Amino acid sequence: MRFDVISLFPEMFDAITKHGITSRAIDKKIYVLNVINPRDFTQDNHKTVDDRPYGGGPGMVMLAEPLSQAINAAKALNVDAKVMHLSPRGKPLTHEKVMQLSQQQGLILLASRYEGVDERLLDALVDEEISIGDYVLSGGELPAMALIDAVVRQLPGVLGDADSAIEDSFVNGLLDYSHFTRPEVLTRPEFDENKSVPEVLLSGNHAKIREWRLKQSLLLTRAKRPDLLAARSLTKEEARLLQEGIKEQEQASLQLKGT
Ligand code: 4FM
């Protein structure tokens, strides 16, 4: 897959090209990331990329001219790619949308800055607007990187077995179960010594461990993201484990209250 990103801050993308899974995937030639700087397409001595808004008001607006040239350069390198603008006014980025984008040969991502972009540029050259959430950031670079990271994780050969399993747990509409590692007892005062690692995880009984984890996932999702549970139907096993888990939690809380 090929990403061409339009950004005034190309170095920011080192965060994903130089670190972790997204860096490894470049080494494995699973995807290519190229950043195009609209400042390189300016003609004036000051390399101007923005100007004051018509009608007045605070802040600056990105000029259509350098942006259109940058996008056209990206289109020459990434034929047939859709141009996506990262913006709070866009459609929410969801797991489903990420899966859909991961089927594309290439994407062109416009990461804008300042208070906005000349609307005529958006009308002429942007195919789709995407938002990563209902809050305002200082630019589209972090949203573009969030999108690239989420999409690259879905490309064949990127995730090892371990990471794939974590992914599966959210894909199935439930939160991941809780994890524990060594040592078996934590002794610093900030840790509750009575909260030991669940026995079943030390048992080596893999059928029981699987059941415990599924029950944990169901209980955690009910407690932290009831909306996810409401949007999903349960298998017979899941319904049984959830009911068992709720009863166990009720018993435990009664014990604590000393009844
Ligand atoms: C976007 C700043 C456009 C300036 C932004 C301009 C955002 C989000 C976001 C900041 N993008 N989801 N939330 N961008 O806040 O996608 Cl002109």
Side-chain angles (χ1 to χ4, degrees), residues 62 85-88 112-117 130-140 143:
M62 289 185 92
H85 179 216
L86 287 305
S87 164
S112 53
R113 282 266 149 181
Y114 309 113
E115 276 50 63
V117 179
I130 295 273
S131 167
I132 64 158
D134 292 342
Y135 41 79
V136 178
L137 300 171
S138 309

Side-chain angles (χ1 to χ4, degrees), residues 49-110:
V49 291
D50 61 344
D51 204 343
R52 297 180 324 207
Y54 278 125
M60 300 291 271
V61 177
M62 289 185 92
L63 296 172
E65 251 318 290
L67 277 183
S68 68
Q69 290 190 53
I71 292 171
N72 284 330
K75 286 185 171 192
L77 297 168
N78 202 338
V79 180
D80 292 337
K82 283 247 158 65
V83 178
M84 329 262 297
H85 179 216
L86 287 305
S87 164
R89 56 153 96 150
K91 282 208 212 81
L93 184 64
T94 60
H95 175 69
E96 187 188 0
K97 185 70 188 174
V98 167
M99 296 308 288
Q100 188 193 316
L101 294 177
S102 72
Q103 303 301 307
Q104 301 294 308
Q105 279 295 336
L107 292 173
I108 296 169
L109 304 178
L110 170 57

Side-chain angles (χ1 to χ4, degrees), residues 175-236:
L175 300 181
D176 200 6
Y177 50 79
S178 4
H179 299 80
F180 299 87
T181 189
R182 293 193 289 182
E184 205 179 310
V185 180
L186 293 169
T187 52
R188 283 182 166 283
E190 62 263 39
F191 299 116
D192 183 348
E193 270 191 78
N194 304 315
K195 280 197 182 160
S196 48
V197 177
E199 279 288 334
V200 61
L201 299 181
L202 311 174
S203 72
N205 183 337
H206 294 289
K208 281 271 173 264
I209 291 170
R210 190 196 137 273
E211 267 206 341
W212 182 88
R213 285 178 168 166
L214 180 52
K215 188 185 281 182
Q216 282 301 303
S217 279
L218 290 159
L219 288 170
L220 270 174
T221 308
R222 178 174 178 266
K224 292 175 189 282
R225 291 293 306 276
D227 57 310
L228 290 181
L229 214 51
R232 186 182 182 283
S233 55
L234 299 183
T235 65
K236 274 190 178 169

Side-chain angles (χ1 to χ4, degrees), residues 41-54:
F41 295 87
T42 54
Q43 306 283 331
D44 63 313
N45 288 331
H46 293 99
K47 304 193 180 205
T48 310
V49 291
D50 61 344
D51 204 343
R52 297 180 324 207
Y54 278 125

